[in-house]
Amino acid sequence: MVVKIATSWKQRLQNEFDKPYFGELISFVKNEYSLQVVYPKAKEIFNAFDACAFDDVKVVILGQDPYHGEGQANGLCFSVNEGVKPPPSLVNIFKEIKADLGKPISTSGNLQPWANQGVLLLNATLTVRASSPGSHQKKGWEIFTDAVIKIISEEREGLVFILWGAYAQKKGEVIDPEKHFVIMSPHPSPFSADRGFFGSKPFSKTNEYLRSKGLKEIDW
């Protein structure tokens, strides 16, 4: 199957694109876009990959579903488009950045600048029906993104994986902790942030690790 995705990823993921489940997934997704309002825009489904080439990845942050509200999702987990009010989880992420690094809270919820520096902002499910969270789960996306994580873990070394919440931590079980630095804490959602996300300092820990590897820090 021909998939429009950045070349550095395409050569590594072609085996997945050729598997029967992926063909079924794409048929489902195309049908959904033709009949329903689906987010993100079709051209942004693989934005996380297009924004961060395989060899440029330094940090991986795992999300679950794209945002399901109008104009929010842009293909990067936790990120929203310019001019869109940051959702509660993102607000809490910005609060932790301020507490951790002393930086002012960002007025923009678009995390594209992170991606440009080597942060792969990967959702487990890459599409969702409007106002219907979880509507595209268990259709094949999770199989695909599991394969992505496994390939990154196997082919790269010395990366930081940030796993917020039980879902991301379960998904991250394929990561080799001997080769990579894995940061885990509760999810930044208002339902769980007070249980250990606040004060977990993932951003300074990431930068300390990158420095130890002689790599440029992320400007969060």
Side-chain angles (χ1 to χ4, degrees), residues 5-14 46-60 115-120 122 144-159 161 179-180:
I5 192 171
T7 306
S8 66
W9 292 98
K10 190 178 184 69
Q11 59 197 42
R12 291 173 173 87
L13 297 172
Q14 190 59 54
F46 295 108
N47 193 23
F49 303 93
D50 296 336
C52 186
F54 181 84
D55 291 324
D56 293 339
V57 175
K58 295 194 285 190
V59 182
V60 180
N116 295 343
Q117 298 174 78
V119 182
L120 181 68
L122 181 65
F144 172 69
T145 50
D146 279 351
V148 170
I149 296 164
K150 195 165 188 290
I151 288 167
I152 296 170
S153 177
E154 289 176 352
E155 295 194 21
R156 296 290 309 278
E157 195 167 330
L159 304 187
F161 287 84
K179 291 175 62 183
H180 304 286

mmCIF file of all heavy atoms in Angstrom, residues 5-14 46-60 115-120 122 144-159 161 179-180:
data_model
loop_
_atom_site.group_PDB
_atom_site.id
_atom_site.type_symbol
_atom_site.label_atom_id
_atom_site.label_comp_id
_atom_site.label_asym_id
_atom_site.label_seq_id
_atom_site.Cartn_x
_atom_site.Cartn_y
_atom_site.Cartn_z
ATOM 1 N N ILE A 5 3.788 9.520 3.713
ATOM 2 C CA ILE A 5 4.437 9.730 4.998
ATOM 3 C C ILE A 5 5.898 10.060 4.712
ATOM 4 O O ILE A 5 6.426 9.701 3.659
ATOM 5 C CB ILE A 5 4.296 8.461 5.883
ATOM 6 C CG1 ILE A 5 4.692 8.734 7.341
ATOM 7 C CG2 ILE A 5 5.089 7.299 5.321
ATOM 8 C CD1 ILE A 5 4.361 7.591 8.293
ATOM 9 N N ALA A 6 6.538 10.757 5.629
ATOM 10 C CA ALA A 6 7.930 11.168 5.424
ATOM 11 C C ALA A 6 8.803 9.978 5.044
ATOM 12 O O ALA A 6 8.657 8.884 5.580
ATOM 13 C CB ALA A 6 8.464 11.828 6.685
ATOM 14 N N THR A 7 9.716 10.204 4.109
ATOM 15 C CA THR A 7 10.539 9.133 3.537
ATOM 16 C C THR A 7 11.300 8.342 4.588
ATOM 17 O O THR A 7 11.399 7.115 4.509
ATOM 18 C CB THR A 7 11.548 9.730 2.533
ATOM 19 O OG1 THR A 7 10.822 10.507 1.572
ATOM 20 C CG2 THR A 7 12.313 8.648 1.815
ATOM 21 N N SER A 8 11.826 9.027 5.613
ATOM 22 C CA SER A 8 12.636 8.341 6.622
ATOM 23 C C SER A 8 11.820 7.300 7.392
ATOM 24 O O SER A 8 12.365 6.309 7.887
ATOM 25 C CB SER A 8 13.238 9.353 7.600
ATOM 26 O OG SER A 8 12.226 9.994 8.360
ATOM 27 N N TRP A 9 10.523 7.528 7.491
ATOM 28 C CA TRP A 9 9.637 6.583 8.163
ATOM 29 C C TRP A 9 9.101 5.539 7.193
ATOM 30 O O TRP A 9 8.932 4.373 7.559
ATOM 31 C CB TRP A 9 8.472 7.316 8.819
ATOM 32 C CG TRP A 9 8.875 8.171 9.964
ATOM 33 C CD1 TRP A 9 9.111 9.521 9.959
ATOM 34 C CD2 TRP A 9 9.118 7.737 11.311
ATOM 35 N NE1 TRP A 9 9.471 9.956 11.201
ATOM 36 C CE2 TRP A 9 9.481 8.882 12.060
ATOM 37 C CE3 TRP A 9 9.059 6.502 11.951
ATOM 38 C CZ2 TRP A 9 9.783 8.821 13.420
ATOM 39 C CZ3 TRP A 9 9.349 6.439 13.310
ATOM 40 C CH2 TRP A 9 9.710 7.584 14.023
ATOM 41 N N LYS A 10 8.847 5.971 5.987
ATOM 42 C CA LYS A 10 8.234 5.078 4.990
ATOM 43 C C LYS A 10 9.061 3.812 4.790
ATOM 44 O O LYS A 10 8.524 2.698 4.772
ATOM 45 C CB LYS A 10 8.075 5.828 3.664
ATOM 46 C CG LYS A 10 7.240 5.083 2.631
ATOM 47 C CD LYS A 10 7.110 5.931 1.378
ATOM 48 C CE LYS A 10 6.194 5.268 0.360
ATOM 49 N NZ LYS A 10 4.793 5.233 0.790
ATOM 50 N N GLN A 11 10.369 3.962 4.662
ATOM 51 C CA GLN A 11 11.210 2.798 4.386
ATOM 52 C C GLN A 11 11.208 1.815 5.553
ATOM 53 O O GLN A 11 11.382 0.607 5.362
ATOM 54 C CB GLN A 11 12.627 3.246 4.054
ATOM 55 C CG GLN A 11 13.319 4.049 5.134
ATOM 56 C CD GLN A 11 14.536 4.816 4.614
ATOM 57 O OE1 GLN A 11 14.503 5.405 3.533
ATOM 58 N NE2 GLN A 11 15.612 4.815 5.384
ATOM 59 N N ARG A 12 11.002 2.332 6.761
ATOM 60 C CA ARG A 12 11.001 1.454 7.933
ATOM 61 C C ARG A 12 9.622 0.855 8.222
ATOM 62 O O ARG A 12 9.529 -0.169 8.898
ATOM 63 C CB ARG A 12 11.498 2.230 9.153
ATOM 64 C CG ARG A 12 12.983 2.558 9.047
ATOM 65 C CD ARG A 12 13.440 3.470 10.157
ATOM 66 N NE ARG A 12 14.902 3.629 10.101
ATOM 67 C CZ ARG A 12 15.517 4.540 9.369
ATOM 68 N NH1 ARG A 12 14.820 5.379 8.614
ATOM 69 N NH2 ARG A 12 16.840 4.619 9.366
ATOM 70 N N LEU A 13 8.580 1.519 7.758
ATOM 71 C CA LEU A 13 7.218 1.086 8.089
ATOM 72 C C LEU A 13 6.499 0.408 6.935
ATOM 73 O O LEU A 13 5.348 -0.010 7.084
ATOM 74 C CB LEU A 13 6.401 2.300 8.562
ATOM 75 C CG LEU A 13 6.910 2.961 9.852
ATOM 76 C CD1 LEU A 13 6.159 4.265 10.111
ATOM 77 C CD2 LEU A 13 6.751 2.014 11.032
ATOM 78 N N GLN A 14 7.167 0.288 5.792
ATOM 79 C CA GLN A 14 6.510 -0.289 4.618
ATOM 80 C C GLN A 14 5.967 -1.688 4.900
ATOM 81 O O GLN A 14 4.902 -2.064 4.409
ATOM 82 C CB GLN A 14 7.455 -0.323 3.421
ATOM 83 C CG GLN A 14 6.770 -0.697 2.097
ATOM 84 C CD GLN A 14 5.653 0.264 1.723
ATOM 85 O OE1 GLN A 14 5.863 1.475 1.659
ATOM 86 N NE2 GLN A 14 4.449 -0.264 1.494
ATOM 87 N N PHE A 46 -0.535 11.833 9.619
ATOM 88 C CA PHE A 46 0.839 11.409 9.898
ATOM 89 C C PHE A 46 1.756 12.596 10.213
ATOM 90 O O PHE A 46 2.969 12.524 10.013
ATOM 91 C CB PHE A 46 1.386 10.610 8.710
ATOM 92 C CG PHE A 46 0.667 9.307 8.482
ATOM 93 C CD1 PHE A 46 -0.181 9.140 7.394
ATOM 94 C CD2 PHE A 46 0.822 8.246 9.367
ATOM 95 C CE1 PHE A 46 -0.853 7.945 7.187
ATOM 96 C CE2 PHE A 46 0.164 7.041 9.179
ATOM 97 C CZ PHE A 46 -0.681 6.888 8.082
ATOM 98 N N ASN A 47 1.176 13.659 10.738
ATOM 99 C CA ASN A 47 1.935 14.880 11.016
ATOM 100 C C ASN A 47 3.085 14.641 12.001
ATOM 101 O O ASN A 47 4.159 15.232 11.871
ATOM 102 C CB ASN A 47 0.993 15.962 11.566
ATOM 103 C CG ASN A 47 1.627 17.341 11.576
ATOM 104 O OD1 ASN A 47 2.561 17.608 10.834
ATOM 105 N ND2 ASN A 47 1.112 18.225 12.413
ATOM 106 N N ALA A 48 2.880 13.764 12.983
ATOM 107 C CA ALA A 48 3.940 13.491 13.960
ATOM 108 C C ALA A 48 5.198 12.981 13.271
ATOM 109 O O ALA A 48 6.319 13.324 13.657
ATOM 110 C CB ALA A 48 3.448 12.474 14.989
ATOM 111 N N PHE A 49 5.005 12.167 12.234
ATOM 112 C CA PHE A 49 6.135 11.592 11.493
ATOM 113 C C PHE A 49 6.734 12.611 10.526
ATOM 114 O O PHE A 49 7.951 12.692 10.368
ATOM 115 C CB PHE A 49 5.675 10.353 10.722
ATOM 116 C CG PHE A 49 5.067 9.294 11.593
ATOM 117 C CD1 PHE A 49 3.697 9.252 11.807
ATOM 118 C CD2 PHE A 49 5.857 8.339 12.214
ATOM 119 C CE1 PHE A 49 3.127 8.284 12.626
ATOM 120 C CE2 PHE A 49 5.309 7.362 13.022
ATOM 121 C CZ PHE A 49 3.930 7.335 13.236
ATOM 122 N N ASP A 50 5.857 13.379 9.881
ATOM 123 C CA ASP A 50 6.334 14.370 8.916
ATOM 124 C C ASP A 50 7.116 15.489 9.610
ATOM 125 O O ASP A 50 8.011 16.088 9.027
ATOM 126 C CB ASP A 50 5.151 14.959 8.141
ATOM 127 C CG ASP A 50 4.442 13.917 7.285
ATOM 128 O OD1 ASP A 50 5.083 12.910 6.931
ATOM 129 O OD2 ASP A 50 3.250 14.093 6.985
ATOM 130 N N ALA A 51 6.751 15.762 10.876
ATOM 131 C CA ALA A 51 7.387 16.861 11.610
ATOM 132 C C ALA A 51 8.700 16.458 12.258
ATOM 133 O O ALA A 51 9.468 17.320 12.691
ATOM 134 C CB ALA A 51 6.426 17.379 12.684
ATOM 135 N N CYS A 52 8.972 15.154 12.318
ATOM 136 C CA CYS A 52 10.156 14.683 13.049
ATOM 137 C C CYS A 52 10.710 13.441 12.362
ATOM 138 O O CYS A 52 10.160 12.345 12.515
ATOM 139 C CB CYS A 52 9.760 14.380 14.496
ATOM 140 S SG CYS A 52 11.132 13.968 15.561
ATOM 141 N N ALA A 53 11.760 13.610 11.585
ATOM 142 C CA ALA A 53 12.346 12.488 10.850
ATOM 143 C C ALA A 53 12.871 11.421 11.809
ATOM 144 O O ALA A 53 13.242 11.714 12.951
ATOM 145 C CB ALA A 53 13.488 12.992 9.961
ATOM 146 N N PHE A 54 12.929 10.178 11.346
ATOM 147 C CA PHE A 54 13.314 9.043 12.174
ATOM 148 C C PHE A 54 14.654 9.273 12.876
ATOM 149 O O PHE A 54 14.791 9.057 14.084
ATOM 150 C CB PHE A 54 13.386 7.772 11.321
ATOM 151 C CG PHE A 54 13.747 6.540 12.099
ATOM 152 C CD1 PHE A 54 12.778 5.819 12.779
ATOM 153 C CD2 PHE A 54 15.060 6.094 12.159
ATOM 154 C CE1 PHE A 54 13.111 4.688 13.517
ATOM 155 C CE2 PHE A 54 15.404 4.957 12.891
ATOM 156 C CZ PHE A 54 14.421 4.262 13.568
ATOM 157 N N ASP A 55 15.644 9.724 12.135
ATOM 158 C CA ASP A 55 16.984 9.898 12.702
ATOM 159 C C ASP A 55 17.109 11.137 13.583
ATOM 160 O O ASP A 55 18.112 11.305 14.278
ATOM 161 C CB ASP A 55 18.032 9.947 11.589
ATOM 162 C CG ASP A 55 18.198 8.604 10.904
ATOM 163 O OD1 ASP A 55 18.096 7.571 11.598
ATOM 164 O OD2 ASP A 55 18.414 8.579 9.677
ATOM 165 N N ASP A 56 16.095 12.004 13.548
ATOM 166 C CA ASP A 56 16.112 13.221 14.367
ATOM 167 C C ASP A 56 15.437 13.033 15.718
ATOM 168 O O ASP A 56 15.516 13.915 16.580
ATOM 169 C CB ASP A 56 15.423 14.377 13.627
ATOM 170 C CG ASP A 56 16.199 14.823 12.402
ATOM 171 O OD1 ASP A 56 17.416 14.553 12.343
ATOM 172 O OD2 ASP A 56 15.588 15.431 11.500
ATOM 173 N N VAL A 57 14.743 11.904 15.909
ATOM 174 C CA VAL A 57 14.008 11.690 17.159
ATOM 175 C C VAL A 57 14.971 11.624 18.344
ATOM 176 O O VAL A 57 15.948 10.876 18.328
ATOM 177 C CB VAL A 57 13.162 10.393 17.104
ATOM 178 C CG1 VAL A 57 12.501 10.128 18.454
ATOM 179 C CG2 VAL A 57 12.101 10.476 16.010
ATOM 180 N N LYS A 58 14.691 12.437 19.351
ATOM 181 C CA LYS A 58 15.448 12.395 20.602
ATOM 182 C C LYS A 58 14.544 12.013 21.776
ATOM 183 O O LYS A 58 14.993 11.418 22.748
ATOM 184 C CB LYS A 58 16.090 13.756 20.884
ATOM 185 C CG LYS A 58 17.147 14.161 19.871
ATOM 186 C CD LYS A 58 18.002 15.327 20.353
ATOM 187 C CE LYS A 58 17.288 16.643 20.285
ATOM 188 N NZ LYS A 58 18.185 17.802 20.535
ATOM 189 N N VAL A 59 13.274 12.391 21.660
ATOM 190 C CA VAL A 59 12.294 12.173 22.720
ATOM 191 C C VAL A 59 10.998 11.667 22.096
ATOM 192 O O VAL A 59 10.611 12.134 21.018
ATOM 193 C CB VAL A 59 12.003 13.489 23.494
ATOM 194 C CG1 VAL A 59 11.019 13.251 24.634
ATOM 195 C CG2 VAL A 59 13.284 14.123 24.006
ATOM 196 N N VAL A 60 10.350 10.722 22.758
ATOM 197 C CA VAL A 60 9.037 10.237 22.313
ATOM 198 C C VAL A 60 8.043 10.458 23.444
ATOM 199 O O VAL A 60 8.271 10.026 24.579
ATOM 200 C CB VAL A 60 9.068 8.739 21.947
ATOM 201 C CG1 VAL A 60 7.685 8.277 21.481
ATOM 202 C CG2 VAL A 60 10.119 8.455 20.877
ATOM 203 N N ALA A 115 8.299 19.283 18.148
ATOM 204 C CA ALA A 115 8.525 18.296 17.091
ATOM 205 C C ALA A 115 9.729 18.690 16.235
ATOM 206 O O ALA A 115 10.537 17.837 15.846
ATOM 207 C CB ALA A 115 7.278 18.160 16.226
ATOM 208 N N ASN A 116 9.858 19.985 15.968
ATOM 209 C CA ASN A 116 10.974 20.469 15.153
ATOM 210 C C ASN A 116 12.333 20.226 15.807
ATOM 211 O O ASN A 116 13.358 20.215 15.130
ATOM 212 C CB ASN A 116 10.811 21.967 14.869
ATOM 213 C CG ASN A 116 9.595 22.283 14.017
ATOM 214 O OD1 ASN A 116 9.033 21.407 13.375
ATOM 215 N ND2 ASN A 116 9.174 23.532 14.017
ATOM 216 N N GLN A 117 12.331 20.018 17.127
ATOM 217 C CA GLN A 117 13.571 19.781 17.863
ATOM 218 C C GLN A 117 13.850 18.300 18.118
ATOM 219 O O GLN A 117 14.832 17.954 18.765
ATOM 220 C CB GLN A 117 13.527 20.501 19.213
ATOM 221 C CG GLN A 117 13.406 22.007 19.132
ATOM 222 C CD GLN A 117 13.213 22.594 20.515
ATOM 223 O OE1 GLN A 117 14.169 22.720 21.292
ATOM 224 N NE2 GLN A 117 11.987 22.932 20.858
ATOM 225 N N GLY A 118 12.963 17.424 17.620
ATOM 226 C CA GLY A 118 13.207 16.006 17.783
ATOM 227 C C GLY A 118 12.299 15.304 18.771
ATOM 228 O O GLY A 118 12.626 14.210 19.243
ATOM 229 N N VAL A 119 11.156 15.914 19.092
ATOM 230 C CA VAL A 119 10.189 15.272 19.978
ATOM 231 C C VAL A 119 9.083 14.654 19.118
ATOM 232 O O VAL A 119 8.338 15.374 18.451
ATOM 233 C CB VAL A 119 9.583 16.275 20.986
ATOM 234 C CG1 VAL A 119 8.606 15.551 21.925
ATOM 235 C CG2 VAL A 119 10.679 16.964 21.793
ATOM 236 N N LEU A 120 9.008 13.325 19.120
ATOM 237 C CA LEU A 120 7.949 12.625 18.390
ATOM 238 C C LEU A 120 6.711 12.592 19.278
ATOM 239 O O LEU A 120 6.705 11.965 20.337
ATOM 240 C CB LEU A 120 8.384 11.204 18.036
ATOM 241 C CG LEU A 120 7.357 10.384 17.243
ATOM 242 C CD1 LEU A 120 7.176 10.936 15.826
ATOM 243 C CD2 LEU A 120 7.765 8.910 17.193
ATOM 244 N N LEU A 122 3.441 11.238 19.538
ATOM 245 C CA LEU A 122 2.730 10.130 18.909
ATOM 246 C C LEU A 122 1.495 9.712 19.685
ATOM 247 O O LEU A 122 1.590 9.291 20.846
ATOM 248 C CB LEU A 122 3.682 8.930 18.788
ATOM 249 C CG LEU A 122 3.131 7.673 18.124
ATOM 250 C CD1 LEU A 122 2.796 7.926 16.652
ATOM 251 C CD2 LEU A 122 4.132 6.523 18.263
ATOM 252 N N PHE A 144 -0.400 -0.581 14.601
ATOM 253 C CA PHE A 144 0.567 0.211 13.832
ATOM 254 C C PHE A 144 1.495 0.990 14.759
ATOM 255 O O PHE A 144 2.733 0.951 14.607
ATOM 256 C CB PHE A 144 -0.174 1.163 12.894
ATOM 257 C CG PHE A 144 0.723 2.158 12.205
ATOM 258 C CD1 PHE A 144 1.633 1.755 11.242
ATOM 259 C CD2 PHE A 144 0.647 3.511 12.525
ATOM 260 C CE1 PHE A 144 2.475 2.671 10.619
ATOM 261 C CE2 PHE A 144 1.475 4.438 11.908
ATOM 262 C CZ PHE A 144 2.392 4.018 10.946
ATOM 263 N N THR A 145 0.932 1.693 15.737
ATOM 264 C CA THR A 145 1.787 2.519 16.597
ATOM 265 C C THR A 145 2.631 1.665 17.559
ATOM 266 O O THR A 145 3.724 2.076 17.948
ATOM 267 C CB THR A 145 0.967 3.577 17.362
ATOM 268 O OG1 THR A 145 -0.164 2.966 18.009
ATOM 269 C CG2 THR A 145 0.464 4.644 16.398
ATOM 270 N N ASP A 146 2.153 0.476 17.911
ATOM 271 C CA ASP A 146 3.012 -0.462 18.664
ATOM 272 C C ASP A 146 4.251 -0.814 17.835
ATOM 273 O O ASP A 146 5.370 -0.868 18.357
ATOM 274 C CB ASP A 146 2.256 -1.757 18.984
ATOM 275 C CG ASP A 146 1.341 -1.622 20.194
ATOM 276 O OD1 ASP A 146 1.404 -0.598 20.900
ATOM 277 O OD2 ASP A 146 0.547 -2.557 20.434
ATOM 278 N N ALA A 147 4.028 -1.056 16.550
ATOM 279 C CA ALA A 147 5.142 -1.391 15.656
ATOM 280 C C ALA A 147 6.110 -0.220 15.538
ATOM 281 O O ALA A 147 7.339 -0.414 15.509
ATOM 282 C CB ALA A 147 4.605 -1.774 14.275
ATOM 283 N N VAL A 148 5.578 1.003 15.496
ATOM 284 C CA VAL A 148 6.419 2.200 15.431
ATOM 285 C C VAL A 148 7.333 2.277 16.655
ATOM 286 O O VAL A 148 8.556 2.473 16.541
ATOM 287 C CB VAL A 148 5.553 3.477 15.336
ATOM 288 C CG1 VAL A 148 6.413 4.729 15.514
ATOM 289 C CG2 VAL A 148 4.813 3.531 14.006
ATOM 290 N N ILE A 149 6.755 2.101 17.833
ATOM 291 C CA ILE A 149 7.531 2.179 19.081
ATOM 292 C C ILE A 149 8.603 1.097 19.108
ATOM 293 O O ILE A 149 9.748 1.340 19.506
ATOM 294 C CB ILE A 149 6.590 2.064 20.297
ATOM 295 C CG1 ILE A 149 5.624 3.250 20.336
ATOM 296 C CG2 ILE A 149 7.397 2.007 21.597
ATOM 297 C CD1 ILE A 149 4.435 3.045 21.253
ATOM 298 N N LYS A 150 8.241 -0.097 18.674
ATOM 299 C CA LYS A 150 9.183 -1.225 18.677
ATOM 300 C C LYS A 150 10.362 -0.945 17.736
ATOM 301 O O LYS A 150 11.520 -1.187 18.086
ATOM 302 C CB LYS A 150 8.456 -2.500 18.253
ATOM 303 C CG LYS A 150 9.217 -3.785 18.546
ATOM 304 C CD LYS A 150 8.277 -4.981 18.431
ATOM 305 C CE LYS A 150 8.954 -6.261 18.900
ATOM 306 N NZ LYS A 150 9.999 -6.733 18.012
ATOM 307 N N ILE A 151 10.062 -0.416 16.565
ATOM 308 C CA ILE A 151 11.114 -0.107 15.594
ATOM 309 C C ILE A 151 12.058 0.968 16.142
ATOM 310 O O ILE A 151 13.282 0.862 16.025
ATOM 311 C CB ILE A 151 10.497 0.331 14.238
ATOM 312 C CG1 ILE A 151 9.865 -0.881 13.538
ATOM 313 C CG2 ILE A 151 11.541 0.978 13.337
ATOM 314 C CD1 ILE A 151 8.975 -0.515 12.371
ATOM 315 N N ILE A 152 11.470 2.006 16.747
ATOM 316 C CA ILE A 152 12.301 3.067 17.328
ATOM 317 C C ILE A 152 13.206 2.492 18.413
ATOM 318 O O ILE A 152 14.409 2.767 18.469
ATOM 319 C CB ILE A 152 11.426 4.185 17.922
ATOM 320 C CG1 ILE A 152 10.615 4.886 16.832
ATOM 321 C CG2 ILE A 152 12.300 5.218 18.650
ATOM 322 C CD1 ILE A 152 9.560 5.827 17.379
ATOM 323 N N SER A 153 12.614 1.674 19.297
ATOM 324 C CA SER A 153 13.388 1.097 20.400
ATOM 325 C C SER A 153 14.519 0.217 19.895
ATOM 326 O O SER A 153 15.638 0.262 20.422
ATOM 327 C CB SER A 153 12.469 0.284 21.319
ATOM 328 O OG SER A 153 13.203 -0.339 22.350
ATOM 329 N N GLU A 154 14.245 -0.560 18.851
ATOM 330 C CA GLU A 154 15.236 -1.507 18.347
ATOM 331 C C GLU A 154 16.334 -0.835 17.527
ATOM 332 O O GLU A 154 17.510 -1.184 17.641
ATOM 333 C CB GLU A 154 14.540 -2.586 17.500
ATOM 334 C CG GLU A 154 13.710 -3.556 18.327
ATOM 335 C CD GLU A 154 12.956 -4.560 17.472
ATOM 336 O OE1 GLU A 154 12.950 -4.408 16.224
ATOM 337 O OE2 GLU A 154 12.362 -5.482 18.050
ATOM 338 N N GLU A 155 15.949 0.137 16.686
ATOM 339 C CA GLU A 155 16.900 0.707 15.740
ATOM 340 C C GLU A 155 17.646 1.936 16.260
ATOM 341 O O GLU A 155 18.685 2.307 15.724
ATOM 342 C CB GLU A 155 16.193 1.051 14.419
ATOM 343 C CG GLU A 155 15.677 -0.177 13.690
ATOM 344 C CD GLU A 155 15.286 0.126 12.246
ATOM 345 O OE1 GLU A 155 15.757 1.144 11.689
ATOM 346 O OE2 GLU A 155 14.511 -0.664 11.690
ATOM 347 N N ARG A 156 17.115 2.552 17.301
ATOM 348 C CA ARG A 156 17.781 3.731 17.864
ATOM 349 C C ARG A 156 18.310 3.408 19.256
ATOM 350 O O ARG A 156 17.990 2.383 19.842
ATOM 351 C CB ARG A 156 16.793 4.913 17.920
ATOM 352 C CG ARG A 156 16.306 5.401 16.561
ATOM 353 C CD ARG A 156 17.397 6.097 15.768
ATOM 354 N NE ARG A 156 18.069 7.125 16.542
ATOM 355 C CZ ARG A 156 17.601 8.367 16.724
ATOM 356 N NH1 ARG A 156 16.453 8.734 16.168
ATOM 357 N NH2 ARG A 156 18.281 9.233 17.447
ATOM 358 N N GLU A 157 19.103 4.321 19.792
ATOM 359 C CA GLU A 157 19.680 4.125 21.128
ATOM 360 C C GLU A 157 19.767 5.465 21.836
ATOM 361 O O GLU A 157 19.947 6.505 21.200
ATOM 362 C CB GLU A 157 21.072 3.503 20.999
ATOM 363 C CG GLU A 157 21.610 2.928 22.282
ATOM 364 C CD GLU A 157 22.846 2.048 22.039
ATOM 365 O OE1 GLU A 157 22.952 1.438 20.960
ATOM 366 O OE2 GLU A 157 23.695 2.009 22.946
ATOM 367 N N GLY A 158 19.592 5.465 23.157
ATOM 368 C CA GLY A 158 19.766 6.683 23.934
ATOM 369 C C GLY A 158 18.665 7.703 23.768
ATOM 370 O O GLY A 158 18.920 8.908 23.850
ATOM 371 N N LEU A 159 17.428 7.241 23.555
ATOM 372 C CA LEU A 159 16.293 8.157 23.446
ATOM 373 C C LEU A 159 15.585 8.265 24.793
ATOM 374 O O LEU A 159 15.746 7.423 25.672
ATOM 375 C CB LEU A 159 15.298 7.672 22.391
ATOM 376 C CG LEU A 159 15.822 7.440 20.976
ATOM 377 C CD1 LEU A 159 14.660 7.138 20.034
ATOM 378 C CD2 LEU A 159 16.619 8.626 20.471
ATOM 379 N N PHE A 161 11.861 8.268 26.452
ATOM 380 C CA PHE A 161 10.437 7.964 26.262
ATOM 381 C C PHE A 161 9.677 8.483 27.477
ATOM 382 O O PHE A 161 9.972 8.103 28.611
ATOM 383 C CB PHE A 161 10.214 6.455 26.128
ATOM 384 C CG PHE A 161 10.678 5.882 24.820
ATOM 385 C CD1 PHE A 161 12.005 5.518 24.638
ATOM 386 C CD2 PHE A 161 9.787 5.702 23.764
ATOM 387 C CE1 PHE A 161 12.441 4.983 23.436
ATOM 388 C CE2 PHE A 161 10.217 5.175 22.554
ATOM 389 C CZ PHE A 161 11.545 4.813 22.394
ATOM 390 N N LYS A 179 18.500 0.349 26.780
ATOM 391 C CA LYS A 179 19.003 1.205 25.696
ATOM 392 C C LYS A 179 18.503 2.635 25.786
ATOM 393 O O LYS A 179 19.084 3.540 25.175
ATOM 394 C CB LYS A 179 18.567 0.633 24.333
ATOM 395 C CG LYS A 179 19.225 -0.670 23.938
ATOM 396 C CD LYS A 179 18.622 -1.200 22.642
ATOM 397 C CE LYS A 179 18.831 -0.250 21.476
ATOM 398 N NZ LYS A 179 18.189 -0.747 20.236
ATOM 399 N N HIS A 180 17.391 2.824 26.492
ATOM 400 C CA HIS A 180 16.721 4.126 26.481
ATOM 401 C C HIS A 180 16.373 4.571 27.899
ATOM 402 O O HIS A 180 16.332 3.761 28.827
ATOM 403 C CB HIS A 180 15.448 4.048 25.640
ATOM 404 C CG HIS A 180 15.664 3.572 24.237
ATOM 405 N ND1 HIS A 180 16.231 4.364 23.265
ATOM 406 C CD2 HIS A 180 15.421 2.362 23.651
ATOM 407 C CE1 HIS A 180 16.310 3.672 22.129
ATOM 408 N NE2 HIS A 180 15.834 2.460 22.347
#
